[in-house]
Amino acid sequence: MSDERTLLTGTAANVLGLCAGVAAALGVQILLGRALMPGGFGLVTVAVQVAFVASAGSRFGMDMAAVRLTAIGRGAGALTHLKSLVDRCALVAVVASVVLACLLAATAPLYDRYGRVIALAAVGLPFVAVTSVYLGATRGLGQMRQTLYVFWIGQPVLWIALAAIALAAGGRTDAVVLAYDGSWFLAALAAAALWRREAHAFAGRSATGTEVREALRYGLPRAPAALLAQSVFWADLWVLAAFEQGTDLDAYAAAARISQVLLLFLTSLSLVFSPFAADLHARGERERLDALFKRSTRWALAATLPLLIVLFVAADDVLQAFSSRFEAGEGALRILLAGQAVNVATGSVAFVLIMTGFTGLDLLDNLLGIALLVALASALTAAFGIEGTATAAAVSVAALNVVRLYQVRRRVGIQPYERAYLGLAPPAAAAALAALGVHSALSGRAWWASLAATAACGLVVYAALLPRFLPAGERAAMTGRLRSVRAAAWPR
């Protein structure tokens, strides 16, 4: 169970890091919203979002190459070239990101009033690339703490600190964007230092030209694929913006953000699972990979189900947390949640394809996914408004993941489903009924009271019943862990 423990502890660390990152991002938003002149917050948000999406392509796939090649080298015991190889991957990512940053700066006048801040934000692209490559390499060694400290927590907190200093010194929008660049510069230094500390024993020889070319061949399709994968999260909103303005657009934007919360556990687990997929596939241990894929997907779904139930049942209350006028997005939110539920239920299929070397297939999938999303959204939005947009997004996400599920089964020979999944149905059904009952009983009450009671009731029922329906081994492990925690908290 050592691999399973690594998955669980790494996932727990990532979940904590994601929560800390969300809190830090909220802190930045509050700070900038209060300190900047009207319109400044929007400028900064657009600039850093453009830069971060662009950075996904500017890494040239070297971040994923670092994860995969380090994991394979570690599993095979071939470590002496890894330090040199990862350094070369970082260099490729820096060159690619510098080129893209120059293109963004050169085309800045095309972005009207956003041009200046986008050009300034582009300065940070090489630092994002370096950070991603070196953190990917440490994940390839099976270590998540560096990603937790630097990516999830460190960079957002550094941005808050640097932005606060800049604002206190009299700076405005430009200074805040440069503070964003500075936070990534410091994150890049930290990521490089942490990797070098772990890789000091891997400096036996330089990477050969063949090994570098292998990394480049692997990473080449990842640059456009990563950009398309990021675009899938926003294309439906962009299409809707061409049809709707005002409250409907705002409500849909909020609903889309909320639905992506379902990916919390899947994203966290996928980052930890990726090195296992690369290593086990390279060593031909398909049965072990299949078993780990099954368990990890079931665990991600088990952790996500109570969140799905609460958000689905109390969709109106959740949207009211943003504004009472956002209730127009209630139906759209439930549709989007259904699509993301399929995403979670199919597991880390995209990461499996990427880590096993099928980057070209991943690129084709993303091309087809974005084309399907735009086509469906254009037709359904015109006919049904935001519910049509949500339907297009849900169908596209579900279809893309079902296709990937088939590809993983055919190309890699694994699939995520087993009989133990049936054990999730009774606690989920009981939690849904309890949440529905409480939510109906509190209809007309304050949104926060209704949401809190619905969430508490659903979560308690689910947590109480889930252990009874787990496989015997997992139930025994959970019981033992709870006993050790209880003993540590209340020693005799």
Side-chain angles (χ1 to χ4, degrees):
M1 293 289 290
S2 60
D3 289 348
E4 283 81 355
R5 280 197 294 270
T6 301
L7 276 174
L8 287 174
T9 55
T11 301
N14 269 333
V15 169
L16 292 174
L18 273 168
C19 292
V22 169
L26 180 61
V28 170
Q29 292 171 355
I30 293 172
L31 173 66
L32 300 186
R34 290 178 176 272
L36 293 176
M37 298 290 289
F41 178 67
L43 288 172
V44 172
T45 301
V46 169
V48 300
Q49 190 64 54
V50 168
F52 191 77
V53 171
S55 73
S58 72
R59 302 164 202 166
F60 208 73
M62 293 298 100
D63 53 337
M64 302 305 289
V67 176
R68 181 172 184 265
L69 297 176
T70 304
I72 291 174
R74 174 173 172 259
L79 303 171
T80 56
H81 70 296
L82 289 181
K83 183 175 182 297
S84 171
L85 182 59
V86 171
D87 285 341
R88 282 161 172 74
C89 287
L91 180 60
V92 171
V94 167
V95 172
S97 58
V98 167
V99 171
L100 184 55
C102 291
L103 285 174
L104 275 177
T107 57
L110 299 177
Y111 310 127
D112 195 25
R113 64 193 186 97
Y114 297 103
R116 180 179 176 83
V117 288
I118 288 177
L120 290 174
V123 173
L125 262 61
F127 310 133
V128 180
V130 169
T131 303
S132 302
V133 172
Y134 284 123
L135 292 181
T138 57
R139 289 200 302 276
L141 295 176
Q143 300 177 12
M144 285 305 307
R145 63 181 182 276
Q146 295 88 348
T147 300
L148 172 65
Y149 298 150
V150 176
F151 189 87
W152 295 129
I153 299 175
Q155 185 272 328
V157 171
L158 282 170
W159 188 21
I160 291 177
L162 294 176
I165 293 171
L167 292 168
R172 289 292 179 259
T173 304
D174 290 357
V176 170
V177 175
L178 289 174
Y180 175 81
D181 298 333
S183 68
W184 279 112
F185 171 71
L186 295 174
L189 292 179
L194 290 171
W195 161 250
R196 291 185 185 284
R197 187 175 71 178
E198 298 297 330
H200 69 279
F202 307 159
R205 66 174 177 84
S206 297
T208 65
T210 300
E211 289 166 338
V212 174
R213 284 193 294 273
E214 179 187 352
L216 289 172
R217 281 196 300 271
Y218 172 83
L220 182 59
R222 280 298 302 155
L227 283 173
L228 289 169
Q230 287 287 334
S231 298
V232 166
F233 285 103
W234 303 102
D236 53 335
L237 186 62
W238 296 338
V239 172
L240 178 63
F243 291 88
E244 302 282 355
Q245 297 294 326
T247 298
D248 282 349
L249 183 61
D250 291 345
Y252 188 86
R257 284 284 193 176
I258 294 166
S259 69
Q260 291 171 15
V261 172
L262 286 190
L263 303 181
L264 172 67
F265 294 102
L266 178 63
T267 300
S268 300
L269 191 141
S270 295
L271 290 173
V272 188
F273 179 72
S274 298
F276 287 101
D279 174 31
L280 294 173
H281 181 263
R283 288 193 277 139
E285 296 189 21
R286 190 175 69 181
E287 290 185 3
R288 180 62 186 145
L289 176 58
D290 185 58
L292 205 59
F293 188 34
K294 285 176 167 58
R295 285 201 179 108
S296 65
T297 305
R298 179 165 52 83
W299 291 342
L301 181 59
T304 303
L305 277 173
L307 188 59
L308 169 63
I309 290 166
V310 171
L311 292 177
F312 194 91
V313 171
D316 53 343
D317 294 331
V318 175
L319 286 166
Q320 280 201 59
F322 289 80
S323 171
S324 59
R325 62 191 178 89
F326 283 9
E327 282 189 272
E330 181 181 340
L333 174 56
R334 290 195 171 103
I335 295 169
L336 290 169
L337 288 170
Q340 294 297 354
V342 176
N343 193 355
V344 175
T346 52
S348 307
V349 283
F351 279 88
V352 171
L353 287 175
I354 294 167
M355 286 293 106
T356 53
F358 295 103
T359 50
L361 190 59
D362 176 63
L363 171 59
L364 178 61
D365 289 343
N366 283 320
L367 279 169
L368 294 176
I370 196 73
L372 177 63
L373 174 55
V374 172
L376 284 178
S378 299
L380 295 179
T381 301
F384 304 105
I386 61 174
E387 284 80 11
T389 311
T391 302
V395 169
S396 301
V397 167
L400 178 60
N401 281 279
V402 169
V403 168
R404 283 174 168 160
L405 188 68
Y406 170 77
Q407 292 168 341
V408 166
R409 178 68 183 88
R410 177 163 187 154
R411 300 296 183 97
V412 188
I414 63 175
Q415 56 89 19
Y417 303 116
E418 57 184 345
R419 186 181 296 274
Y421 274 84
L422 298 176
L424 300 179
L433 289 173
L436 278 169
V438 172
H439 188 257
S440 299
L442 296 178
S443 178
R445 300 290 183 91
W447 68 265
W448 55 268
S450 175
L451 178 59
T454 301
C457 188
L459 292 175
V460 166
V461 170
Y462 185 83
L465 293 178
L466 180 63
R468 300 172 184 240
F469 296 91
L470 289 176
E474 293 178 11
R475 185 166 59 250
M478 178 181 286
T479 302
R481 181 61 179 164
L482 289 174
R483 285 174 180 168
S484 64
V485 171
R486 189 183 302 118
W490 295 287
R492 293 183 179 180

